[in-house]
Amino acid sequence: ASGSPVRAQMLKSVGLQFSVAPSNVDEAAIKQSLLPLPLGEGRGEGQPQLLAAALARAKCLNVSTHYPDHLTIGADQVCALDTTIFSKPVTVEKAAEQIMQLQGRTHHQHSAVCVACGEDVVFETVTSAALTMRELTHAQCVAYAQQERPLQACGSYLFEGMGRHLFERIEGDTDTILGLPMVPLLFTLHRLGAIKLG
């Protein structure tokens, strides 16, 4: 239940066969219901994880009800710096601005995955990673944003590409940073008998 090419590639890389059916949930409405304060002000500890989980579940159920005989995987990701939650930048200027806010500091990526069969959620989890961006000049932030154009990226960087150059240190799973907790997802799919080795 995702149109993300990165998530699709991650699933392909571990040999899964699947169909892509992006959801059409109103993400803004879900964010507004969980974040009564304007986006960017946040609501304290745990809120980014709750938001990521709610978005993944909504996307998953939005699609799974149309495919009751199949397992549906939904996922979402939230980037947070302290109590500030970042939206996708959409413009190069906004991407550079967000990178400037992150540079020299540690932020978190929270990635949620949900698995459903029809109307029943059979698994969901959220994993988190801490990323410390190295100190960058304004010119470097602008140059990166112009070069890679991470306009639909959570956090305004593509960690799977040149965005990796921006960092000093990471703590956590690379899959989490890319937006899909693969190990717990694969464990669940094996447990459910959806995939088998040998």
Side-chain angles (χ1 to χ4, degrees):
S2 171
S4 165
V6 174
R7 291 191 185 105
Q9 184 54 47
M10 292 171 74
L11 294 175
K12 287 177 186 174
S13 73
V14 294
L16 295 189
Q17 295 182 346
F18 58 93
S19 299
V20 174
S23 69
N24 58 0
V25 299
D26 186 348
E27 291 189 39
I30 295 170
K31 289 177 181 178
Q32 189 172 9
S33 71
L34 288 175
L35 300 173
L37 298 177
L39 277 183
E41 294 181 25
R43 271 203 38 202
E45 192 69 28
Q47 197 68 15
Q49 294 95 322
L50 290 174
L51 178 57
L55 289 166
R57 176 185 271 245
K59 290 179 177 181
C60 189
L61 290 174
N62 177 262
V63 172
S64 66
T65 53
H66 300 290
Y67 301 93
D69 298 325
H70 297 79
L71 288 176
T72 299
I73 301 167
D76 209 284
Q77 185 177 41
V78 171
C79 175
L81 174 66
D82 299 326
T83 57
T84 300
I85 291 177
F86 287 78
S87 298
K88 293 175 182 176
V90 184
T91 67
V92 169
E93 293 74 21
K94 184 66 175 177
E97 178 186 318
Q98 289 189 354
I99 296 167
M100 272 302 295
Q101 288 179 267
L102 296 174
Q103 65 85 29
R105 303 178 69 184
T106 299
H107 67 277
H108 292 83
Q109 290 282 7
H110 306 284
S111 291
V113 64
C114 178
V115 180
C117 185
E119 297 180 356
D120 299 321
V121 171
V122 295
F123 173 74
E124 55 187 338
T125 193
V126 181
T127 59
S128 301
L131 299 91
T132 303
M133 195 174 280
R134 62 190 180 90
E135 293 187 2
L136 301 164
T137 65
H138 181 265
Q140 288 173 319
C141 294
V142 171
Y144 169 74
Q146 289 176 339
Q147 178 181 358
E148 196 147 59
R149 300 183 64 81
L151 309 187
Q152 296 297 315
C154 186
S156 297
Y157 55 83
L158 299 177
F159 194 79
E160 67 275 17
M162 297 299 290
R164 224 173 266 230
H165 289 272
L166 303 176
F167 292 92
E168 174 185 328
R169 183 175 67 255
I170 66 164
E171 298 172 45
D173 194 309
T174 301
D175 291 337
T176 295
I177 299 170
L178 296 179
L180 184 61
M182 287 293 289
V183 171
L185 172 61
L186 291 174
F187 177 77
T188 297
L189 294 177
H190 278 283
R191 179 174 58 82
L192 295 172
I195 51 176
K196 296 176 182 176
L197 292 178

